[in-house]
Amino acid sequence: MTDIIFSFDTEDFTSKRAADGILYEANLFKEEGVKGCFCVVGLLAKHLKEWGRTDVIEALSHHEIGTHTYGHTLHPMINEYTDIEDFEEAQAELIRQETQGIEYIKDTLGVDRVWAACPPGNQKSYVAMYGYHKMGIPVYADTFCDTELGTGAYYCNIFHVNYTFGIEWFLRDNGEEGIKKVLDQLAKRERAVIYTHPNMIIKEDFWDAVNYHKENLVPFGEWIEPKDLPNEVTETVLKNMRTLVRMIKNDPRFRITTYSSLASELQKEGERIVKREYVKELYASLKKSFFPVQDPLSLSLSDMMLACRDFLMGKNEHLCGDVYGFLSKPYEITKELTLTKEDIISACDQIRDGKFLPEKIKAGNEFIGPADWLFGAMEVILGADTVKVAPKPQLPSLDCMPEVRDSDFKGTWQHSDSFEDKYLSDRLRYQSYTMRFRRESRRINK
């Protein structure tokens, strides 16, 4: 059975008229008895209250709420202001802005929490991923860190699910027959997120395309409104949207769910405890494929590094918690080295809980990479007095996450011309040590 989540990028804070799209879609789903997640821009929530759109606010009360960031495409956007060397400075600003946005959402919509964080466009900042987790948000949506079949993945401490199928343009031209073909494709997945932008059933163009393309084109509050769509287009989309919802409701291949339900499932997984006796199995798995493991439990490479540190320091169990990757490219040795048990153990104090992993590890008198140390540590735990390390890649293959592997934000979407992507894309790849998959999800392409 395929889980279906309906997700709404609820974003246009420039147009009181565009808010009618939120009203129409929220009421349609309420009438069909289906709860969606409206991921709301903080500034939109603030303006809904100022515009007196109590009708929209009441309609949203029947659905769960996520955040679509504080200001969406208001420059500097998340990628722009977090693309700096100092992670702590970047995260402090992220949390400051996003906390303000969520306060607007809670104040206007009367909710206690938001269930998902959905980045606008391709604003996939590793800083935001860590920051939203720190703020207590359980799901990161519209990501590119998901599996081919939508099983999801933990990355930067937050659970990621990708958007699967956008419907507003599709439903302008497709009724029941077109929808059937799409549902046949979605039924092959474990999870599908069907998404839409409510403003796009009202307006001919995106609000930010005319107000925030690459820069703040107009003074705040003096916005340009795209033309309205003809009423018959809006009516066609809503009619076909209702058909889509009813077809999914009546199809036994699908189960309609929500981000909050997903969060409840994740919470039930409970503690992950790595035991010393697991090391033999983990070592064999990593020798076969240097990749996160699912047996005997779901573990990231960072989990395994921290567990091996604890075992070398005399512990028999490691309780998994938050993990971090690297802030620069991991070091790679250029020649084979032989290290002693004492060399490997001497490096333990360089691997710390709640910190980014060291890119270059001093083991005795030699410098090695993190993967070198992890394999050496496992061999020592399994009884070796000396270990040999040879030159090899220190990061796992990201072929199963091609958009992370090939990430390059510069010159894309609404980014300003001055945006360099000096750190973000590379650091996304450097966080691959934090990736792991749920044990229940077996269909992972490595």
Side-chain angles (χ1 to χ4, degrees):
M1 183 176 286
T2 300
D3 281 348
I4 298 287
I5 295 173
F6 288 101
S7 197
F8 302 79
D9 286 7
T10 315
E11 61 189 47
D12 185 355
F13 59 79
T14 68
S15 170
K16 182 178 180 179
R17 162 68 176 139
D20 287 344
I22 308 170
L23 178 68
Y24 299 157
E25 293 186 1
N27 281 337
L28 185 154
F29 276 74
K30 175 193 173 186
E31 290 161 8
E32 294 299 325
V34 173
K35 179 179 287 189
C37 183
F38 285 76
C39 296
V40 181
V41 167
L43 287 175
L44 171 59
K46 180 175 184 287
H47 286 143
L48 286 175
K49 188 174 184 179
E50 292 175 355
W51 292 333
R53 292 303 305 259
T54 55
D55 54 344
V56 176
I57 294 168
E58 197 283 328
L60 287 173
S61 69
H62 300 277
H63 301 280
E64 73 177 18
I65 301 298
T67 176
H68 198 33
T69 74
Y70 165 79
H72 200 272
T73 333
L74 180 68
H75 296 277
M77 302 185 295
I78 281 179
N79 270 15
E80 293 167 343
Y81 72 75
T82 62
D83 187 37
I84 61 176
E85 183 175 9
D86 190 325
F87 168 80
E88 297 295 339
E89 180 183 344
Q91 185 164 87
E93 179 60 17
L94 179 284
I95 291 175
R96 184 190 71 79
Q97 289 199 27
E98 294 307 292
T99 298
Q100 178 65 77
I102 290 171
E103 286 177 358
Y104 287 147
I105 291 169
K106 290 180 176 179
D107 176 63
T108 295
L109 302 180
V111 295
D112 294 327
R113 69 176 300 184
V114 298
W115 291 101
C118 172
N122 63 355
Q123 299 293 286
K124 308 326 193 238
S125 170
Y126 78 105
V127 179
M129 297 170 191
Y130 283 121
Y132 287 131
H133 166 71
K134 194 171 182 178
M135 294 167 69
I137 299 173
V139 178
Y140 190 80
D142 190 17
T143 180
F144 47 35
C145 186
D146 195 350
T147 66
E148 185 178 1
L149 295 172
T151 55
Y154 286 96
Y155 206 69
C156 300
N157 296 325
I158 193 168
F159 193 74
H160 291 234
V161 292
N162 201 8
Y163 274 7
T164 311
F165 183 64
I167 58 175
E168 59 255 17
W169 290 281
F170 174 81
L171 293 180
R172 293 182 187 184
D173 303 311
N174 289 275
E176 186 169 341
E177 288 305 312
I179 293 169
K180 283 181 180 178
K181 294 178 182 179
V182 170
L183 297 188
D184 286 343
Q185 293 301 311
L186 297 184
K188 299 174 183 178
R189 302 174 58 83
E190 291 194 16
R191 179 183 299 107
V193 180
I194 296 175
Y195 67 97
T196 186
H197 302 77
N199 54 292
M200 293 305 291
I201 68 167
I202 301 295
K203 296 294 184 178
E204 287 188 354
D205 201 358
F206 277 102
W207 58 281
D208 51 351
V210 295
N211 290 289
Y212 292 106
H213 180 63
K214 293 191 175 185
E215 59 182 301
N216 299 330
L217 297 172
V218 297
F220 193 88
E222 299 178 17
W223 297 299
I224 301 167
E225 284 206 34
K227 289 177 59 178
D228 283 5
L229 285 169
N231 288 337
E232 56 267 27
V233 175
T234 299
E235 291 168 2
T236 295
V237 173
L238 290 170
K239 174 178 174 291
N240 290 335
M241 190 175 292
R242 194 180 296 274
T243 298
L244 168 69
V245 173
R246 289 179 176 178
M247 288 175 69
I248 291 175
K249 284 168 57 179
N250 295 322
D251 192 325
R253 297 176 298 176
F254 301 111
R255 178 182 68 165
I256 298 175
T257 185
T258 59
Y259 292 128
S260 57
S261 295
L262 173 59
S264 296
E265 290 179 19
L266 299 175
Q267 190 171 17
K268 290 176 184 176
E269 293 177 355
E271 294 181 337
R272 293 176 300 122
I273 298 175
V274 190
K275 298 182 179 181
R276 180 185 287 267
E277 58 260 35
Y278 297 166
V279 172
K280 183 176 181 179
E281 182 178 354
L282 296 175
Y283 179 73
S285 179
L286 293 190
K287 291 291 284 186
K288 183 178 179 181
S289 175
F290 189 60
F291 202 71
V293 302
Q294 291 173 277
D295 289 309
L297 70 164
S298 170
L299 295 173
S300 67
L301 295 172
S302 292
D303 288 323
M304 288 182 267
M305 285 196 70
L306 293 167
C308 285
R309 176 212 58 192
D310 281 356
F311 300 152
L312 290 174
M313 299 301 291
K315 296 181 180 179
N316 290 315
E317 293 184 345
H318 170 76
L319 176 62
C320 296
D322 288 350
V323 289
Y324 294 84
F326 310 97
L327 290 178
S328 59
K329 185 177 180 179
Y331 175 76
E332 294 185 10
I333 60 175
T334 57
K335 62 181 180 179
E336 186 175 283
L337 299 173
T338 299
L339 302 172
T340 67
K341 172 181 176 179
E342 290 72 26
D343 292 335
I344 295 295
I345 293 173
S346 71
C348 285
D349 63 354
Q350 299 167 55
I351 300 160
R352 300 172 184 172
D353 293 313
K355 302 291 183 182
F356 285 94
L357 294 172
E359 298 88 357
K360 191 175 186 180
I361 295 174
K362 187 174 184 182
N365 295 318
E366 301 286 355
F367 286 100
I368 59 175
D372 301 326
W373 183 86
L374 177 56
F375 280 110
M378 287 183 167
E379 291 173 19
V380 168
I381 292 165
L382 293 173
D385 290 320
T386 61
V387 298
K388 289 185 177 181
V389 292
K392 60 179 174 292
Q394 297 297 297
L395 294 173
S397 169
L398 288 173
D399 288 347
C400 69
M401 302 285 178
E403 291 181 272
V404 178
R405 180 195 64 200
D406 303 329
S407 177
D408 185 1
F409 298 125
K410 183 177 174 63
T412 63
W413 197 52
Q414 307 283 15
H415 289 109
S416 66
D417 289 335
S418 62
F419 172 65
E420 296 184 60
D421 192 11
K422 191 173 182 180
Y423 299 100
L424 293 184
S425 287
D426 284 337
R427 286 184 174 177
L428 266 179
R429 290 182 273 273
Y430 300 156
Q431 306 320 305
S432 55
Y433 270 47
T434 70
M435 184 194 304
R436 67 180 179 89
F437 306 96
R438 299 178 69 191
R439 290 198 72 206
E440 294 81 356
S441 302
R442 292 299 176 186
R443 294 182 288 179
I444 308 297
N445 294 323
K446 297 184 182 181

